[in-house]
Amino acid sequence: MELTKVSVITTTYNEEEYIGKLIKKIRSLNLNSYIIVVDDSSSDNTAKIAKRLSDKTIIKKREGQTIGLWYGMLNSVSNIMVTIDADLENPPELIPTMINEFINNKCGVLIASRNNLPRISEKISTKIFKKILNVDDIYSNFRVYSKDCLKDFNPKLGETFGLEFLLFLNKKRCKICQIIYSPPPRRSNPRIGGKLKANMKAFYSTFKSLIGYLIYYS
């Protein structure tokens, strides 16, 4: 039986240390995958490595993760789309389980939620939005989406680290599912920045998303 076609999308900015390892790990899963890398004009060799190993590499100006994922989704070749961080903090070996859960439960999106959120901003933000979305990790971008459910999506809020996708799907009444997993240790220099910077970015995203929810998605 032919495997279901899956588009796997990741965004990058100066991820030459990780992008090749990620793509090779995804290939080793023997999925019927189409790997899309959206690069925010990296200054290192990320795009060069991605072009050699991925199915499609898109190079664009630096606009952040949410816009990058959206670009990737627009280039998806299948209805099932997996989004994953490039730095291996999301274990690729979990993807087959996620896809099975997504299909079996007829989800619009399935989120792999971390069982322990590392930042205070993520904990507080998730507590706020859990009342709306019933998700334990709103800033996890380790997800499986239905492209059909996102057909009319057009980002309005800028960088929300993927939260705007969930607000849109919730308004459309596409089913939001999740599984819980234990993440590997975080890398020492996360892309979002150090603890203070990362918390400030997350809190700003949460504030924007609350306003956006009231204006566009309630």
Side-chain angles (χ1 to χ4, degrees), residues 99-108 110 175 177 179:
I99 292 171
N100 286 336
E101 290 287 323
F102 174 85
I103 293 172
N104 291 338
N105 290 289
K106 299 180 180 178
C107 306
L110 180 137
K175 187 176 181 181
C177 311
I179 62 170

Side-chain angles (χ1 to χ4, degrees), residues 108-210:
V109 62
L110 180 137
I111 301 139
S113 295
R114 296 164 291 179
N115 64 355
N116 183 30
L117 303 184
R119 301 186 182 100
I120 186 65
S121 57
E122 293 174 305
K123 293 176 181 177
I124 292 173
S125 299
T126 291
K127 188 172 183 179
I128 292 170
F129 277 99
K130 187 168 183 177
K131 296 177 181 179
I132 300 168
L133 301 170
N134 196 29
V135 172
D136 293 308
D137 186 0
I138 60 166
Y139 285 132
S140 168
N141 270 300
F142 195 17
R143 302 174 182 172
V144 185
Y145 290 95
S146 161
K147 187 175 183 179
D148 289 342
C149 276
L150 284 169
K151 181 173 62 174
D152 301 320
F153 178 74
N154 187 26
K156 300 177 175 65
L157 307 179
E159 180 60 280
T160 60
F161 305 107
L163 178 52
E164 189 174 1
F165 292 115
L166 301 184
L167 296 176
F168 175 84
L169 292 172
N170 182 64
K171 183 174 182 179
K172 281 195 70 175
R173 299 190 183 279
C174 285
K175 187 176 181 181
I176 298 176
C177 311
Q178 74 172 346
I179 62 170
I180 307 296
Y181 80 103
S182 299
R186 297 185 63 83
R187 67 181 185 177
S188 58
N189 57 336
R191 178 171 56 179
I192 194 174
K195 184 180 291 188
L196 177 60
K197 187 177 181 180
N199 280 320
M200 289 178 65
K201 285 182 176 180
F203 278 132
Y204 180 54
S205 169
T206 300
F207 172 75
K208 284 194 301 180
S209 298
L210 278 171

Side-chain angles (χ1 to χ4, degrees), residues 1-6 30-33 77-78 80 99-100 103:
M1 187 174 75
E2 186 178 350
L3 292 172
T4 302
K5 189 77 172 178
V6 177
N30 295 318
L31 299 170
N32 186 9
S33 61
V77 299
S78 54
I80 297 178
I99 292 171
N100 286 336
I103 293 172

